[in-house]
């Protein structure tokens, strides 16, 4: 076999092992190690692993991952998700479909201090799910809204996936966070529009809740000041250049911890649970990062990315067509793969390919624009039937709702995602305008 054939076999083998439910990091480590040794020899593999492990995990930037995860966990333990939903419900709950709109708003706000899609979906479902069902919302709309709203956790900055993309591509984390702001607002508005259309077409599926008086609205709004304070502190500090993204994550985690203890009633058991959960999740992410690093090195050794880029460059099609094909691949993979695995498995191939195409943009602009598109494609995969991960999380927490109902309820949100991705693919300025001002 040629080196190129070995690269193709590696990619196929990794997909098969992941489909067979082997842990993603382990699959990429095994396949990457076997491919690297086949092409470069075992001595070169061991030498690479020795230097690669230290150089990757001694990076100061990586500490931002557990810190943002810890911030989200403290926010959950401190009940900040409940405060966010109560505020949104107070102002919008009396609309037809208002509780679902409030859920979307609460998910977007919680995503601003969480950064994880699954955590956002799981925590908001405990708060908003029973409330929607109590007011007579259809199971399809309730579970579909929670699944889709959860994806805002990885789109609204800070986002764990964006942090990992920034580390992999050696881009500024702050720049990518800024670039995600407008797409995140568009996503939130699009989801709210879907709820409004659904409520108009099926009035009985989304009855209005009782209207609260102005004093109750002000009281509910006052409860979200801790979340607003943490968000403004972290985001303004990072974007204003007062501190780095890592320092901002540390400040945000510390502030959220103090608020969770003083206002949310978090005690020793909650602290232990948060630390343990963050440690386990961080360990899993780091194993995946190491596996992706070795897998990427083995693919580079096989010259698969370079040769694919050269082949694609000979195609007589516009670069935007190639981009749309890549996004379609992400959608297909997202139907059966976990988001982090999908990103790290494909970036070694797609990044060189994107940089070889002429979009009339600079290298950094292409990486920022493509990063946002990748993030949104991952988001679609999280709620795409039949295997979108958020669908299973929500359905596991709403055991009385058939999975078919959840599939039906999420389709309008998937359509909204497709429209948004197409718009942002043809209008990169929506992702690049704010970073250009920063």
């Amino acid at each position: 076999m040629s080196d190129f054939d070995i690269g193709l076999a590696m990619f196929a083998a990794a997909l098969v092992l992941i489909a067979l439910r082997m842990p993603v990091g382990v699959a990429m480590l095994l396949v990457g190690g076997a491919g690297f040794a086949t092409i470069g020899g075992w001595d070169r593999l061991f030498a690479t692993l020795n230097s690669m492990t230290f150089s990757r995990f001694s990076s100061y930037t990586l500490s931002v991952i557990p810190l943002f995860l810890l911030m989200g966990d403290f926010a959950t333990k401190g009940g900040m998700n409940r405060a966010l939903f109560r505020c949104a419900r107070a102002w919008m709950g009396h609309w037809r479909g208002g509780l679902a709109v409030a859920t979307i708003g609460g998910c977007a706000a919680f995503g601003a201090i969480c950064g994880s899609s699954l955590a956002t979906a799981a925590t908001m479902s405990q708060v908003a799910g029973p409330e929607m069902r109590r007011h007579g919302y259809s199971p399809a709309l309730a579970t579909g809204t929670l699944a889709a709203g959860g994806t805002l956790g990885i789109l609204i900055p800070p986002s764990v996936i964006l942090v990992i993309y920034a580390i992999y591509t050696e881009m500024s984390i702050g720049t990518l966070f800024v670039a995600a702001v407008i797409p995140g607002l568009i996503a939130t508005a699009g989801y709210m529009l879907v709820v409004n259309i659904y409520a108009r077409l099926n009035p009985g599926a989304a009855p209005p809740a009782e209207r609260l008086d102005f004093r109750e609205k002000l009281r509910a709004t006052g409860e979200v000041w801790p979340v607003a304070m943490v968000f403004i502190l972290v985001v303004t500090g990072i974007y204003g250049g007062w501190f780095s993204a890592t320092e901002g994550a540390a400040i945000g985690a510390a502030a959220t911890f103090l608020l969770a203890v003083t206002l949310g009633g978090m005690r020793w058991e909650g602290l232990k649970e948060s630390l343990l959960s963050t440690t386990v999740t961080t360990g899993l992410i780091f194993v995946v990062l190491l596996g992706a690093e070795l897998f990427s090195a083995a693919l580079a050794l096989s010259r698969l990315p370079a040769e694919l880029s050269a082949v694609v460059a000979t195609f007589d099609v516009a670069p935007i067509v190639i981009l749309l094909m890549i996004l379609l691949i992400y959608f297909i993979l997202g139907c059966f793969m976990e988001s982090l695995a999908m990103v790290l498995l494909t970036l070694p191939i797609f990044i060189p390919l994107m940089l070889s195409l002429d979009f009339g943009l600079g290298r950094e602009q292409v990486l920022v624009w493509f990063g946002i598109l990748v993030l949104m494609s991952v988001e679609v995969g999280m709620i795409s039937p039949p295997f979108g991960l958020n669908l299973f999380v929500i359905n596991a927490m709403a055991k009385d709702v058939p999975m078919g109902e959840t599939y039906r309820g999420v389709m309008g949100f998937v359509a909204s995602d497709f429209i948004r991705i197409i718009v942002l693919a043809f209008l990169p300025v929506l992702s690049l305008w704010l970073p250009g001002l920063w």
Side-chain angles (χ1 to χ4, degrees), residues 66 69-70 73-74 77 266-285:
L69 290 173
L70 195 58
D73 219 293
F74 285 155
K77 294 292 189 299
M266 188 179 78
R267 294 297 178 259
W268 178 242
E269 284 301 318
L271 175 61
K272 286 197 297 185
E273 290 174 7
S274 294
L275 292 175
L276 180 61
S277 172
T278 299
T279 301
V280 170
T281 305
T282 301
L284 293 173
I285 290 175

Side-chain angles (χ1 to χ4, degrees), residues 409-430:
V410 84
M411 293 312 296
F413 299 103
V414 173
S416 171
D417 283 333
F418 273 123
I419 294 171
R420 173 164 39 89
I421 290 174
I422 295 297
V423 169
L424 286 163
F426 281 92
L427 295 174
V429 66
L430 294 175

Side-chain angles (χ1 to χ4, degrees), residues 39-340:
I39 298 171
W42 289 100
D43 290 342
R44 189 174 176 185
L45 169 64
F46 292 138
T48 300
L49 270 176
N50 184 42
S51 59
M52 177 186 292
T53 305
F54 176 78
S55 63
R56 169 53 72 192
F57 295 125
S58 62
S59 170
Y60 172 70
T61 308
L62 271 181
S63 58
V64 74
I65 295 175
L67 290 170
F68 274 135
L69 290 173
L70 195 58
M71 185 169 72
D73 219 293
F74 285 155
T76 302
K77 294 292 189 299
M80 296 181 192
N81 54 338
R82 293 188 292 273
L84 289 167
F85 178 74
R86 284 196 297 267
C87 177
R89 181 208 179 284
W91 290 98
M92 296 177 284
H94 59 280
W95 303 347
R96 188 174 296 280
L99 289 180
V101 172
T103 300
I104 297 296
C107 287
F110 188 70
I113 55 170
C114 178
S116 166
S117 173
L118 295 179
T120 301
T123 57
M124 291 305 295
S125 67
Q126 296 172 355
V127 179
E131 188 78 1
M132 285 191 283
R133 298 300 300 278
R134 185 171 68 85
H135 281 83
Y137 274 58
S138 73
L141 178 60
T143 55
T145 299
L146 287 165
T151 64
L152 297 174
I154 60 171
L155 185 55
I156 303 291
S159 163
V160 174
I161 295 290
L162 268 188
V163 169
I164 292 172
Y165 179 89
I167 292 170
Y168 183 87
T169 57
E170 300 181 347
M171 292 288 296
S172 163
I173 295 174
T175 299
L176 285 165
F177 281 1
V178 173
V181 170
I182 291 179
L185 294 175
I186 294 173
T188 304
Y191 285 172
M192 289 181 174
L193 179 61
V194 169
V195 170
N196 184 267
I197 293 172
Y198 193 104
R200 289 179 181 276
L201 295 177
N202 303 279
E210 64 274 11
R211 182 188 294 269
L212 301 183
D213 62 36
F214 191 69
R215 181 178 300 176
E216 291 173 310
K217 291 179 180 179
L218 288 181
R219 185 184 302 117
T221 304
E223 292 178 356
V224 303
W225 72 262
V227 181
M229 186 188 74
V230 172
F231 177 74
I232 292 171
L233 175 67
V234 173
V235 173
T236 304
I238 293 175
Y239 296 169
W242 302 343
F243 39 73
S244 68
T246 305
E247 292 164 343
I251 291 170
T256 308
F257 169 71
L258 293 175
L259 291 168
V261 171
T262 56
L263 301 177
M266 188 179 78
R267 294 297 178 259
W268 178 242
E269 284 301 318
L271 175 61
K272 286 197 297 185
E273 290 174 7
S274 294
L275 292 175
L276 180 61
S277 172
T278 299
T279 301
V280 170
T281 305
T282 301
L284 293 173
I285 290 175
F286 279 19
V287 170
V288 174
L289 281 173
L290 180 60
E293 188 90 357
L294 182 59
F295 187 76
S296 176
L299 284 180
L301 202 61
S302 74
R303 293 195 52 78
L304 175 65
E307 294 194 29
L308 278 180
S309 298
V311 170
V312 170
T314 64
F315 291 173
D316 189 20
V317 294
I320 191 67
V321 176
I322 304 297
L323 173 61
L324 293 177
M325 291 170 60
I326 291 174
L327 297 179
L328 179 61
I329 291 172
Y330 271 118
F331 169 71
I332 295 171
L333 291 178
C335 290
F336 64 91
M337 282 184 68
E338 191 270 331
S339 57
L340 181 59

Side-chain angles (χ1 to χ4, degrees), residues 314-393:
T314 64
F315 291 173
D316 189 20
V317 294
I320 191 67
V321 176
I322 304 297
L323 173 61
L324 293 177
M325 291 170 60
I326 291 174
L327 297 179
L328 179 61
I329 291 172
Y330 271 118
F331 169 71
I332 295 171
L333 291 178
C335 290
F336 64 91
M337 282 184 68
E338 191 270 331
S339 57
L340 181 59
M342 180 167 55
V343 170
L344 291 176
L345 186 66
T346 54
L347 287 184
I349 294 177
F350 290 155
I351 289 293
L353 178 56
M354 285 294 296
L355 293 176
S356 70
L357 299 173
D358 182 14
F359 291 99
L361 302 171
R363 181 182 186 277
E364 184 171 320
Q365 290 178 312
V366 170
L367 289 176
V368 170
W369 175 46
F370 185 61
I372 301 303
L373 288 173
V374 167
L375 187 67
M376 291 191 301
S377 300
V378 167
E379 175 194 344
V380 178
M382 298 290 285
I383 58 173
S384 297
F387 301 119
L389 202 54
N390 271 21
L391 303 179
F392 288 98
V393 170

